[in-house]
Amino acid sequence: MKAYTKIASVLFVLLQITAIAQKKSAADIKESEFYKIIDVPIPKDIILEVGGLAMTDDNKLGVSTRKGEVWLIDNPLSKKASYSLYANGLHEALGLAYTNNGFYLSQRGELTRLEDKNNDGKADVFKSIFSWPLSGNYHEYSYGPKIKSNGDLIVTLNLSWVNGVGGVALTKWRGWMLQITPEGEMTPIATGLRSPAGFGINENDDLFFTENQGDWVGSGRLTHLESGDFAGHVSGLKWTDDPKSPLKLKIEDIEEFSGMTLFEYSKKVPELKAPAIWFPHTVLGISTSDMLYHKKGVNFGPFENQLFVGDQGHSKIMRVYMEKVNGVYQGAAFPFREGFSSGVLRMIWGNENNMFVGMTSRGWASRGRKPYGLQRLEWTGKTPFEIKTMKALNDGFLLEFTKPVNKKFAEDVANYDMKSFTYRYHRTYGSPIEDNQNAMIHKASVSEDGKTVKLMVHGMRLGYIHQLKAQGVKASSGEKLLHNAAYYTLNEVPGGVLNSPAMPEMPKKSNEIKQKKRTIEMPFTWTDGPDRKITIGTKPGMKFDIKEITLARNAKIELNFINSDDMLHNVVFAKPGAHVPNTLGEAALALGLDAPKYNYVPNSPNVLYHTGIVGPESSEKIFFEVPKHPGQYWLVCTFPGHSNTMKVKVIVK
Ligand SMILES: [Cu+2]
C-alpha cells in the first residue's frame, strides 16, 4: 500500500495535529446519525500503528503493529480498555489472525504462529510456518494471514519498489497470493498483485484482494482471484517458471502500452482477470485497504452480506454490493462512512456488533490527521435511506432502496444521471479517466412495495464503470438519500447479451483541455530567456524538497518540477492566504471524475499558474511571471490529500 512507500515521519505529523484541529465534513456529520465513530483509548506510551486486528475467543482484541508488537486489549468496548503486551521484537507485523492454535501473523519474511503455552499472557511459542526470501528493499511488505474454511492460511506479498523502474519482484513470490497449510506446505495461488494490503475470503471460500492505483493499475479495485489468475501487474510473472506456478504467462507476453483497457486485454489473455469492482480514484478513495464482510447475525444495519472496504488516504470506508453474473463477480461500490481519525488499514467485527477500525498514516498524510488510531464504528439503530443494492439487467439496472421511495420522484427520469467510463491498462502509474460518456435513463419504474426501481438505460457498455447519481430520489417520508452515488462495474449482463441501445455518436472531444494558466513553452516575448531557473523536487512523505523560496517581483521564471516520488503530483502557484492551499485541495477533490482532465487544478482565482499532473519519475517545466505585489504566496500540490503537507512558502519581494 502507498502508505508503506513512505518513511514514517511521525513527529512531523504529531506537530501537525496540534496545529490543525480536525475539521468535520458535512458528510461526516450526516453519517454520524446512523453510524457512530467511537475512540478506543490508547495509552500515551504505546505507538499503536495498527498492522493487524484479531478477536480472541475470550473477547480480547489482538493488535499487531508495524513496530513488531502484539497487544491484547481487554474490554476494548469500555473506556477502561486495558492493554497488555503479548509479543514484541517481531518484524513489521502487518496482519493478524486468531485460531484455536493461537495467533498467526505475517512478518516481513515469514508466516509465524504465536502461542502462550504457560498461560502468563505472553507468547512463548514463535513458530515459523513458512518463510520467503527478502532483498532488503523497503517496499517488501507482507500481509495476512486470512484463514480458509479448511484452516489453510492465505498471505499476500507486496512488490518491491525501485525508483525509475516501479514495482518489481526482487525476490521469490513477490507479487503473489500464497496458500499455506498449518504444517507449512505452500501453494502459489495467483499473481499480478502490486500492493495487496487488503484481501479476504467470502462464505463460499472465494478469495478477493484490493489494489491501489499505481504502475499497471489505473485506479483502486477489487479482484476475485482463483488459482492461476493474473491480476494485472506484470512483475510477479517473473516466478511463473517455477514448477509450482499455476500459470505459465511471462512478463514479455504483456504489451506495455497496448492502448486497451484491462477488460479488453483480458479478452485477449485468458489468465488476466478483470476487476469485480473499480473504485474511481479520488472519488471513492485513493488507497483501498482492508475488506470485511457483513456476515449474517451481525446487527449492523441493512447491509447484510455486503462488503466494507477501507481506504487509507481518505480515512474512510466504502460499501460494496457484489453479485455473480454468468459466473463472474461484479457489482456496485457506494460511499459509506468517512471521518476516521487516521488512515484506515484494518477492520474486524468485535463482540456486541461493533466494527473495530485499526489505523496508521505512516507519515503519508491521510485525511484523518492522526499518525495512528483505533476506533470502532457502531450502528445507532437508525436505518439510513440508501441505495441498498444495484443489480445489472441486460437493458438497465435494478435498484433496491433501504426504504420505500416516493413514487412520483423515483419515476421521473430527470432525477437520475448516468455516465460510463473506464481506465487504461498500461505500465504507467495510474490512468486518466478514459472515454467518459453520458448514458440515458430511458424509463424508471417503481415496484408495488416502493422498494425497488427498475431503470431502463441507453448507452450501457461492457467493461465500463457506470456512475449513477440518483440526486432527486426521495423516500416516501420525504427523506433524502444519505449518499446518492453508486459505481457499477459491468463485466457481464444476465443472459450474456447486452440489450441497451448505444448512445448517438458524439463528436470525439479531445481529452486534452487547454488550461490558460499552464505555460509549458517559453513565451516568445521572453527574448532574453527567463530571469531565473528554479528546480523543485519531491521528498518521501508527500513533501516538496524545499520549504520556502524568495522570488523577485515581476521576474520571469522557468520552473522545472521533477517528481522523483512514486505518486502523482502537481505544482500550483497560488495567491496569499493561510487557507488557500487546503481550499484549493478541497476544490480539486470536488472536481470528481473531471479532476484528471484538469490536472487536479480547480478553476479558482486563487490559482495563478500551474504545472500538469506529473507522474513518478517524470518532470514538467512551466514559465510564469512573478506577481508584482509583494507578499507570501504559495506553491502547493492540489492532488487530493496532498495540500496539507505539499506546500512551499513563496516570498515575493
Ligand atoms: Cu502531491
Side-chain angles (χ1 to χ4, degrees):
M1 62 174 303
K2 280 184 190 168
Y4 291 106
T5 67
K6 301 296 148 212
I7 289 151
S9 57
V10 170
L11 184 66
F12 176 74
V13 178
L14 278 170
L15 289 170
Q16 296 240 315
I17 300 164
T18 46
I20 306 154
Q22 197 164 328
K23 211 175 90 192
K24 283 203 175 218
S25 71
D28 183 1
I29 291 161
K30 274 192 246 154
E31 289 163 353
S32 64
E33 194 184 328
F34 307 97
Y35 290 92
K36 252 192 330 194
I37 296 174
I38 301 159
D39 282 330
V40 176
I42 302 173
K44 280 201 177 63
D45 54 344
I46 299 176
I47 295 173
L48 203 73
E49 288 182 60
V50 179
L53 295 175
M55 285 303 289
T56 67
D57 50 13
D58 54 353
N59 281 330
K60 287 182 182 160
L61 177 61
V63 182
S64 70
T65 72
R66 184 181 72 86
K67 295 173 74 70
E69 295 165 339
V70 178
W71 291 90
L72 284 181
I73 308 177
D74 213 356
N75 292 314
L77 294 181
S78 128
K79 279 195 176 131
K80 294 190 183 102
S82 66
Y83 286 62
S84 63
L85 187 63
Y86 180 77
N88 61 357
L90 300 160
H91 194 176
E92 202 181 44
L94 299 181
L96 187 68
Y98 183 79
T99 72
N100 46 20
N101 276 328
F103 284 107
Y104 285 92
L105 59 78
S106 54
Q107 301 192 65
R108 203 157 243 259
E110 66 168 47
L111 174 66
T112 313
R113 185 169 68 79
L114 306 183
E115 203 184 339
D116 172 17
K117 273 233 156 104
N118 65 1
N119 270 318
D120 66 349
K122 281 191 190 312
D124 38 44
V125 175
F126 293 78
K127 176 140 176 63
S128 173
I129 304 295
F130 182 76
S131 64
W132 44 82
L134 293 172
S135 75
N137 183 284
Y138 75 107
H139 208 255
E140 287 170 356
Y141 311 112
S142 308
Y143 308 106
K146 299 262 167 126
I147 298 175
K148 290 193 81 170
S149 60
N150 69 356
D152 282 358
L153 306 135
I154 307 289
V155 298
T156 57
L157 305 187
N158 213 101
L159 289 176
S160 328
W161 178 270
V162 174
N163 277 339
V165 182
V168 286
L170 292 179
T171 51
K172 202 74 177 265
W173 306 118
R174 287 277 144 206
W176 282 74
M177 175 180 270
L178 308 178
Q179 180 162 336
I180 301 164
T181 67
E183 293 74 39
E185 263 318 296
M186 187 279 287
T187 310
I189 300 287
T191 188
L193 291 68
R194 177 184 177 273
S195 202
F199 62 101
I201 304 171
N202 72 5
E203 71 283 359
N204 304 320
D205 252 9
D206 290 328
L207 299 164
F208 296 87
F209 89 107
T210 64
E211 185 67 275
N212 294 185
Q213 187 189 59
D215 47 335
W216 293 101
V217 186
S219 185
R221 63 196 187 201
L222 173 82
T223 305
H224 172 218
L225 287 182
E226 294 168 289
S227 176
D229 276 345
F230 166 57
H233 196 295
V234 300
S235 291
L237 294 174
K238 189 170 171 185
W239 312 122
T240 54
D241 52 6
D242 187 286
K244 280 188 151 180
S245 170
L247 67 161
K248 293 289 157 233
L249 199 67
K250 293 266 164 245
I251 292 177
E252 31 319 342
D253 294 337
I254 305 295
E255 288 167 76
E256 295 194 340
F257 299 97
S258 66
M260 286 186 223
T261 66
L262 202 159
F263 180 82
E264 288 168 332
Y265 212 87
S266 73
K267 300 294 171 200
K268 217 178 108 174
V269 174
E271 295 90 336
L272 181 61
K273 192 72 160 273
I277 302 283
W278 285 101
F279 299 97
H281 195 67
T282 73
V283 176
L284 281 183
I286 54 171
S287 46
T288 44
S289 58
D290 212 3
M291 48 188 283
L292 182 68
Y293 271 94
H294 185 327
K295 59 184 183 189
K296 274 201 167 54
V298 174
N299 184 29
F300 201 71
F303 307 116
E304 199 166 273
N305 294 326
Q306 297 195 20
L307 186 64
F308 297 104
V309 174
D311 192 85
Q312 216 239 3
H314 278 182
S315 303
K316 69 181 178 190
I317 295 176
M318 283 91 67
R319 174 169 65 88
V320 168
Y321 168 78
M322 263 199 288
E323 57 178 342
K324 220 172 179 178
V325 180
N326 309 331
V328 175
Y329 278 109
Q330 61 181 33
F334 308 87
F336 176 63
R337 185 66 168 101
E338 58 182 66
F340 291 93
S341 62
S342 181
V344 174
L345 184 64
R346 295 287 170 242
M347 290 118 66
I348 191 179
W349 295 115
N351 45 334
E352 298 178 36
N353 308 322
N354 278 262
M355 181 196 286
F356 286 106
V357 180
M359 293 167 280
T360 172
S361 91
R362 289 293 315 277
W364 194 80
S366 47
R367 210 179 267 175
R369 305 224 203 274
K370 295 202 174 172
Y372 53 85
L374 183 61
Q375 294 183 307
R376 59 191 170 90
L377 191 61
E378 191 174 84
W379 183 40
T380 61
K382 275 175 100 171
T383 298
F385 179 45
E386 294 267 47
I387 306 169
K388 181 175 169 181
T389 67
M390 180 173 181
K391 293 179 181 145
L393 304 171
N394 70 354
D395 60 353
F397 292 97
L398 192 66
L399 307 179
E400 183 189 357
F401 291 84
T402 56
K403 296 176 182 183
V405 296
N406 173 310
K407 202 168 169 185
K408 186 169 142 261
F409 288 113
E411 289 197 334
D412 182 351
V413 295
N415 284 326
Y416 304 88
D417 179 69
M418 186 170 269
K419 285 179 167 46
S420 67
F421 61 93
T422 186
Y423 297 100
R424 198 174 287 192
Y425 176 55
H426 53 202
R427 70 152 296 149
T428 316
Y429 195 101
S431 160
I433 283 163
E434 288 273 322
D435 196 10
N436 187 358
Q437 194 186 87
N438 284 322
M440 189 178 79
I441 312 290
H442 184 62
K443 188 168 190 262
S445 22
V446 179
S447 66
E448 196 75 1
D449 67 0
K451 280 204 158 179
T452 55
V453 176
K454 184 185 167 188
L455 300 178
M456 282 185 70
V457 178
H458 291 185
M460 287 164 77
R461 295 185 290 173
L462 286 173
Y464 282 72
I465 303 146
H466 292 70
Q467 172 190 268
L468 172 74
K469 292 263 170 91
Q471 66 281 353
V473 174
K474 286 182 179 168
S476 54
S477 62
E479 189 178 348
K480 278 191 182 167
L481 281 164
L482 183 59
H483 304 99
N484 64 33
Y487 295 83
Y488 194 99
T489 300
L490 191 71
N491 294 320
E492 293 281 339
V493 288
V497 181
L498 188 59
N499 186 23
S500 167
M503 293 296 282
E505 200 63 48
M506 298 286 179
K508 256 243 158 80
K509 267 191 268 165
S510 160
N511 256 344
E512 277 280 302
I513 285 192
K514 190 105 183 75
Q515 287 178 291
K516 282 192 195 132
K517 297 170 181 175
R518 176 186 176 203
T519 306
I520 53 174
E521 268 162 45
M522 189 168 75
F524 66 92
T525 52
W526 291 17
T527 43
D528 296 332
D531 299 321
R532 188 174 164 193
K533 292 182 180 185
I534 50 180
T535 298
I536 292 187
T538 53
K539 281 204 305 188
M542 283 205 305
K543 279 175 236 159
F544 289 116
D545 61 356
I546 54 168
K547 285 191 174 144
E548 194 174 307
I549 189 168
T550 302
L551 299 176
R553 55 194 285 250
N554 296 324
K556 296 184 178 74
I557 304 289
E558 175 191 307
L559 184 151
N560 188 12
F561 174 48
I562 301 175
N563 182 11
S564 53
D565 193 26
D566 54 8
M567 283 182 270
L568 303 166
H569 301 291
N570 64 19
V571 180
V572 174
F573 190 106
K575 280 191 182 170
H579 297 292
V580 166
N582 281 344
T583 307
L584 290 178
E586 273 157 36
L589 182 66
L591 289 171
L593 293 182
D594 286 331
K597 204 157 70 179
Y598 296 105
N599 292 303
Y600 295 87
V601 178
N603 181 10
S604 158
N606 282 322
V607 173
L608 296 173
Y609 314 103
H610 63 89
T611 66
I613 195 81
V614 178
E617 311 297 327
S618 312
S619 66
E620 180 169 311
K621 269 183 198 161
I622 58 165
F623 300 83
F624 63 87
E625 274 179 48
V626 179
K628 61 175 185 236
H629 298 294
Q632 194 237 284
Y633 294 72
W634 296 99
L635 290 174
V636 55
C637 171
T638 58
F639 190 86
H642 295 195
S643 61
N644 193 42
T645 52
M646 281 192 92
K647 56 192 173 192
V648 176
K649 284 184 184 169
V650 181
I651 315 296
V652 173
K653 279 192 178 158

